[in-house]
Structures are given as C-alpha cells and as structure tokens.
Amino acid sequence: MKNKSTNLRVRLPALIFALEVMIVVLYAVFVTYEDDANALLQNNQTQPMENSLYKNYPFFADIQVMIFLGFGCLLAFFRRYGFGGMVFNFLIATFTIQWAILVQGFFQFYYDGKIHLGVLNLINAEFACAVVLISFGAVLGKTSPVQLLIMALLEIPVFGITEWAVVKYLKINDAGGSILIHIFACYFGLGVTFVLYRPSLNEGHPKEVTSYQSDVLSVMGTLFLWVFWPSFNSALTFKGDDQHRAVLHTFIGLSASTITAFALSSMLSKNGKISMADVQNVTLAGGVTVGASVDMMISPAAAYVLGILGCIACMLGYKYLSPFLARRLRLQDQCGIHNLHGLTGLISSLAGICGILLATEETYGPSLYQTFSHRAPPEGDPLLARLQELIPDLEAGLGRTAQEQALFQVAAVFVTIAMAAVGGLLTGVVLKLPYLASPSDEKCFDDELFFNVPPDYNCVNGPQDVWSYVLRDTNKTDADQI
C-alpha cells in the first residue's frame, strides 16, 4: 500500500499552482520587454542584425543544453533513480529560471518601475539555475519534488542577495562564476544536507548503486557539460579578447583535467581499472578551476596546470574527504559537490587572486582597465582621459590597486561561503517540516515512490536481465493460454 505521507496528489499540484499564480501576478505587474525586444522602440533607423539577441542567443542556447541535458543526464546515474535524476532536474530547472528572472531582475534589471526582460536576463537566470542544480546534487535521491521546489524557492533569493552584495559592493572579478556559482552552490547544498542528515545511510543503501545503462547515460551528461562549458565560462565576459581567452582557457583546463582523471582513476583503483564515477565527475574539474581567472592573461600553461590541480583535488576529495565528511561532520554529499565545485572553486579563487596581483600594463596594455574594470581611474582623473583616447568605451573605475582588488576577492569568498552556509542550514530546517512528502530511508533512491514505473522497472541490471524478464512474461502468458 502506498505511504500516504509521500502521496503527491494534493501536495505537488497545490504548490505548483500557487507558485504559478504568484509568478503570473509578479510578471504582469513588474516585467516588460527590454529595448531590443520592444516593438514600440523600433523605427527606420533600427538595424535588426545589431539586436542584442544575435550576440547573446548562442550562449543562451549552449547553456540551455548544459542545464537540461548535461545536468539531467549526469544526475541519472543511480540504477533505480533515473527518472528522479532527469525529471526532477527538468522540473526544478524550469521553475528556477522563471523565479530567477524576477529575483535577479529586481536587483540588476529594474528601472522605471519595471524589470526589463531580454536574453541577457535569461542567461543570468540560467546561471542561478545552475546554482540550484548543483545544490540538488547534495540531496539527490533523498528528497521529494515538493521539497526540491521549496529549496529552489528559498535558494534563489539568498543567491540573489549574495550576488547583489558581492557585485555591487565588493566588485570582484569572477568571470566563470567560481565564487558566486560553484562555491555558493556547494556550501548551500552542504548546509541543506547537514540538516537533512540520515544516520542509517552512512553505511550505504542497497539502492545506492549504478547500472551499465545508468552509467552510460550519466557520461552522456558529462559530455554535454564538457562540450558546452566554454560557453558557460565566457558568456558574460567582456566581448573581444577577454572572451576569446575564456574559451581557450576553459578548453585547455578541461582537457588537462580529463586526461589526468583517467590516469588517477586507474592509479588509485585497487584493481587498476577506470571508475565510471571518476569519468563522470572528475573530468569536469578543470572547467571550475579556471573560472575565476578565465579571462585573464594567465597563459595557456597556467590554465593547463589549473586543470591538473583541480583534477587532483577533486579525485582525492571523492576518495578520502567525502567519506570522512559523512562519518564525522554529518555531511552526506550524495554527488560529491564539495569535491567538484567546492574544492575546485577555492583553488580557482586563489588562482584569480594570483592573476590579479600579477596583472600589469606591461602584460595587458591599456586593456588592463577593461579586464579589471575596478582598477580603472575614477571619474575626473587625468589618467582616465588619456586612457579613453586609446580605448574610447573605457568607463571610470574605482582606482583600486592590485593588492586592494585581491583583498576584495578574499572577502567575497568568505562572504559567499557564510551566506550560502547559513541559507542552506535555514532551508534545511524548512525542508524538515512535515507534509513535504519526504521519502523514508528505505524508499530513498527509488523512482517507484514518486513515478508510475514501466513493467521492466525491476530489470535494470542489464540487457540479459531484461531478456530474462521478457522470457518469463512470455512463458507466463503461454501457460495462461493453456
């Protein structure tokens, strides 16, 4: 008999419809089109091909693939939780983007009493969505869709406030989102899973296993993320040589972490074989470790070294740190987000600080003050006028020194971790409330709890098991006919 405490028939529709009513009302009151999407502002002087759509849509499309296919397939690695990994990712991602358009809109795109909506808003919302999906990895298989929607509902405002505070007041360089996306998502997710701690899962769960098919599907997600990661890291960088470097560094970092992962996987395995879990996760570490310095003149060699360092940290984290955190600190990090996003994010932050301290006009020329816009001379400084003769679109900055900017980077890391951890802990407390359809320990990592599963659901060990099931079913039918 189905456990009534996890029945979604009332809970999920009631929550979704309430959220939809809220979003429709807020969109109707506050959201309008940005200038490039507003027909009223077009005239015979308009150049359609100069519309911002054509500059931003390719990045939007690439990040869409990462969000819905990359994360979706990657999270489907459990043998009996493929539906949950992919479908809940789909559900959470669609809601989160809708919600982030509003929350980020009030902080970044609000003027004249309206949020002005364009493709750039969607890209920012997808970054916020990535934050929630990374945090989702920490509680994968142990939460209901109701809990996940509430987690997204609460996480986006905390992220929006943190992003606003760090960008507006600390004014840091973080082109690839290593601080604001990866570190925030990691420590928010760890805060949630700390509160939702399940002691009985420390020794493992019989359904916490993979299958041949689920591992193949998960690697497909890895490949989607790997291929499109350069777009993720470069989407919001300064157009031109900064964006060009971001693409190059991301590809180099990913390439380095990938081949290093294969070497370490076989070296650290007792039987000398490659682990699919390592291929699915550790190969991506380089994309995170180059993030904070991705648009800087760090050199291709440095990007390669960062990819290797990120891979080593991530691999050792999976092998040794994750079990320790689960046993000693009540951090049951289901997908190892602390390894792929936390440790690598911290390495990336340190690399970004080094990149800032080493940046000089001898290396960058006048464009130093575009890449590091807060180091540009302030308004009224004679140096600004001379620089604007060389770079006409250069804007006034804060006149910070390299050392001052580095200190603000350090402050941003601590502020982000603190905000994320506190927000995650409070969200975890909310998710422990009754009536949110939380699965029992026994029913974790099991699609049957929340989905109508097909007849061959129990035959998920491989083609041979499915064929055996078909034969048994055929024999039973024949016997019934006799």
Side-chain angles (χ1 to χ4, degrees), residues 5 30 84 102 164 179 243 279 311 313 315 355 360 364 415 417 419 427 441 453 478-479:
S5 66
F30 292 108
L102 285 165
W164 171 73
I179 299 173
Q243 198 165 65
V279 176
C311 177
M315 180 72 76
T360 63
Y364 287 82
V415 168
I417 292 175
M419 292 287 288
T427 299
D441 290 354
V453 296
D478 292 342

Side-chain angles (χ1 to χ4, degrees), residues 176 178 229 233 246 249-254 285-295 298 302-304 306-307 344 348 351:
S178 291
W229 207 299
N233 274 358
H249 292 158
T250 304
F251 179 82
I252 292 171
L254 285 169
V288 182
T289 47
V290 299
S293 58
V294 74
D295 58 340
I298 59 173
Y304 201 97
L306 284 172
T344 52
S348 180

Side-chain angles (χ1 to χ4, degrees), residues 12-28 91 94-95 98 102 153:
L12 186 60
L15 177 60
I16 289 177
F17 290 142
L19 293 174
E20 287 186 321
V21 169
M22 175 189 71
I23 288 175
V24 167
V25 171
L26 291 174
Y27 273 47
L91 171 66
T94 50
F95 166 70
Q98 298 170 16
L102 285 165
L153 180 69

Side-chain angles (χ1 to χ4, degrees), residues 10 28 40 52 71 122 145 148 152 205 262 319 339 349 408 457 460:
V10 174
L40 187 63
S52 61
F71 278 104
L122 300 185
L148 293 173
H205 191 285
F262 280 94
K319 296 292 183 184
N339 310 310
S349 301
F408 278 99
Y457 169 70
V460 291

